[in-house]
Amino acid sequence: MSTIVRPPRRSAFFLSDRTGITIEMLGHSLLRQFENLSFTEITLPYLDTTEKAETIVAQINDCAVLDGMRPLIFSTFVNPEIRAILDSANALHLDCFNIFISPLETELGIHSSHTVGRSHRVDDGMDYGQRIEAIRYTLEHDDGVSHRNWQQAGIILIGVSRSGKTPTCLYLALQYGICAANYPLTPEDFRYRQLPAELRNLRDKLFGFTTDPVRLHQIRNERKPGSEYASLKNCEYEVREAEALMRQEGIPYLDATSKSIEELATAVLHEAKLKRKIY
């Protein structure tokens, strides 16, 4: 019998002089393209002095020795001294500012501002207030808790409990400033084969999620092991009835089983033609 040899994990550092959110998302997306490799991902924000950079280089060099291969560095730094220190590490350093900003400066014929933290600054107080309001609204209208101001929602996600509605709504609010509500379809709704009264006049705002019953059973069993709520038979029943109700009411829906929160949010934005703003 042949032994499966798994490739060693390789260290990948996401480094920034600010929050690290931008480079972490970009770097993680790039590494996801290498499905057969494993990475230990390390995000280190607020590296804003040469002393901190030298300490990190020492850590990176230690990882190179322990891993037996060069780590990867993804970075966004405007300070050339810090960039130079990172270049000295025993690693592949992908300086995303140099990769993208320099060609843009050449094409546009002007120098960039090279301002620290530009991608996450609050430049418009009104936009920021709208984003906070979207988050507040979404939290208030999670899981059908509040029935007030449904009309204010940009989207209302429906589906059985634990099908991915809440995290998708929060992502829509946080990333795009969309007031997103959600309502869990229950056996009570299936008994009458109709939408709850508060949603019947809001069909244009409704979008549904469905999921694989076996996966739903696994998720629910982690929360309430051995319960009727989590039983495979009940999960099969709820998914079947939810899909039938959404088809009957003409509500578009998608299978959320194997999709990430980012994929679900993007699909909702596209299918529902929502107006979005990226923060």
Side-chain angles (χ1 to χ4, degrees), residues 40 55 85 103 150 171 179 182 250 253:
T40 300
T55 299
I85 292 170
W150 282 99
Y171 190 89
C179 292
N182 73 81
Y253 67 91

Side-chain angles (χ1 to χ4, degrees), residues 154-155 204-207 267-275:
I155 191 78
D204 60 327
K205 294 180 179 289
L206 300 182
F207 194 92
V268 170
L269 286 169
H270 176 72
E271 296 293 335
K273 297 179 173 58
L274 293 174
K275 183 180 180 181

Side-chain angles (χ1 to χ4, degrees), residues 14-21 43-48 52 77:
F14 307 135
L15 309 180
S16 174
D17 44 17
R18 294 296 290 170
T19 64
I21 294 171
T43 301
L44 298 172
Y46 300 111
L47 301 180
D48 50 7
K52 290 179 182 178
F77 287 96

Side-chain angles (χ1 to χ4, degrees), residues 113-134:
S113 65
H114 284 247
T115 304
V116 175
R118 282 292 304 176
S119 61
H120 296 286
R121 280 183 56 183
V122 178
D123 291 321
D124 190 320
M126 183 175 293
D127 279 349
Y128 186 72
Q130 289 174 348
R131 186 185 190 190
I132 296 301
E133 172 59 23

Side-chain angles (χ1 to χ4, degrees), residues 158 183 185 189-208 240-253:
I158 65 171
Y183 179 91
L185 295 174
D189 301 312
F190 306 143
R191 187 174 300 117
Y192 298 105
R193 275 289 179 95
Q194 61 181 359
L195 291 170
E198 57 267 33
L199 297 180
R200 289 173 199 163
N201 294 324
L202 299 170
R203 281 179 174 79
D204 60 327
K205 294 180 179 289
L206 300 182
F207 194 92
R240 182 175 64 251
E241 291 297 312
E243 290 181 358
L245 177 58
M246 289 187 286
R247 285 194 299 269
Q248 171 190 303
E249 298 292 339
I251 299 166
Y253 67 91

Side-chain angles (χ1 to χ4, degrees), residues 18-279:
R18 294 296 290 170
T19 64
I21 294 171
T22 301
I23 193 60
E24 183 179 47
M25 291 178 65
L26 175 59
H28 182 70
S29 296
L30 292 171
L31 295 181
R32 286 285 295 272
Q33 301 303 311
F34 301 90
E35 298 178 1
N36 296 323
L37 298 180
S38 298
F39 299 94
T40 300
E41 299 180 9
I42 304 159
T43 301
L44 298 172
Y46 300 111
L47 301 180
D48 50 7
T49 67
T50 55
E51 290 79 10
K52 290 179 182 178
E54 289 167 353
T55 299
I56 292 307
V57 165
Q59 179 181 342
I60 292 169
N61 290 341
D62 287 343
C63 284
V65 174
L66 291 172
D67 295 347
M69 63 186 77
R70 292 199 303 166
L72 308 175
I73 301 174
F74 299 87
S75 76
T76 51
F77 287 96
V78 298
N79 186 323
E81 293 182 20
I82 293 178
R83 289 205 306 267
I85 292 170
L86 293 175
D87 282 337
S88 72
N90 182 19
L92 171 64
H93 181 200
L94 299 173
D95 176 0
C96 293
F97 265 13
N98 267 349
I99 291 170
F100 296 110
I101 294 294
S102 294
L104 281 170
E105 288 179 334
T106 300
E107 179 66 24
L108 298 174
I110 61 173
H111 289 291
S112 68
S113 65
H114 284 247
T115 304
V116 175
R118 282 292 304 176
S119 61
H120 296 286
R121 280 183 56 183
V122 178
D123 291 321
D124 190 320
M126 183 175 293
D127 279 349
Y128 186 72
Q130 289 174 348
R131 186 185 190 190
I132 296 301
E133 172 59 23
I135 296 169
R136 184 202 63 75
Y137 180 91
T138 297
L139 290 171
E140 185 179 303
H141 291 80
D142 180 41
D143 231 15
V145 172
S146 173
H147 294 172
R148 296 187 303 108
N149 303 324
W150 282 99
Q151 192 63 45
Q152 187 181 328
I155 191 78
I156 302 172
L157 299 183
I158 65 171
V160 298
S161 171
R162 314 302 287 182
S163 58
K165 301 183 301 302
T166 292
T168 303
C169 283
L170 289 172
Y171 190 89
L172 288 169
L174 285 164
Q175 290 292 106
Y176 303 116
I178 292 172
C179 292
N182 73 81
Y183 179 91
L185 295 174
T186 67
E188 185 73 16
D189 301 312
F190 306 143
R191 187 174 300 117
Y192 298 105
R193 275 289 179 95
Q194 61 181 359
L195 291 170
E198 57 267 33
L199 297 180
R200 289 173 199 163
N201 294 324
L202 299 170
R203 281 179 174 79
D204 60 327
K205 294 180 179 289
L206 300 182
F207 194 92
F209 282 180
T210 188
T211 188
D212 177 66
V214 175
R215 178 58 180 152
L216 183 63
H217 161 65
Q218 294 169 343
I219 293 172
R220 287 184 174 185
N221 210 45
E222 291 175 1
R223 187 181 184 193
K224 294 185 177 180
S227 65
E228 171 62 21
Y229 163 79
S231 71
L232 179 58
K233 181 179 179 181
N234 182 62
C235 289
E236 290 173 337
Y237 164 75
E238 287 195 23
V239 169
R240 182 175 64 251
E241 291 297 312
E243 290 181 358
L245 177 58
M246 289 187 286
R247 285 194 299 269
Q248 171 190 303
E249 298 292 339
I251 299 166
Y253 67 91
L254 58 80
D255 187 342
T257 306
S258 59
K259 290 181 173 60
S260 68
I261 300 305
E262 295 86 351
E263 290 174 310
L264 289 173
T266 301
V268 170
L269 286 169
H270 176 72
E271 296 293 335
K273 297 179 173 58
L274 293 174
K275 183 180 180 181
R276 67 182 184 177
K277 181 174 179 64
I278 299 176
Y279 293 95

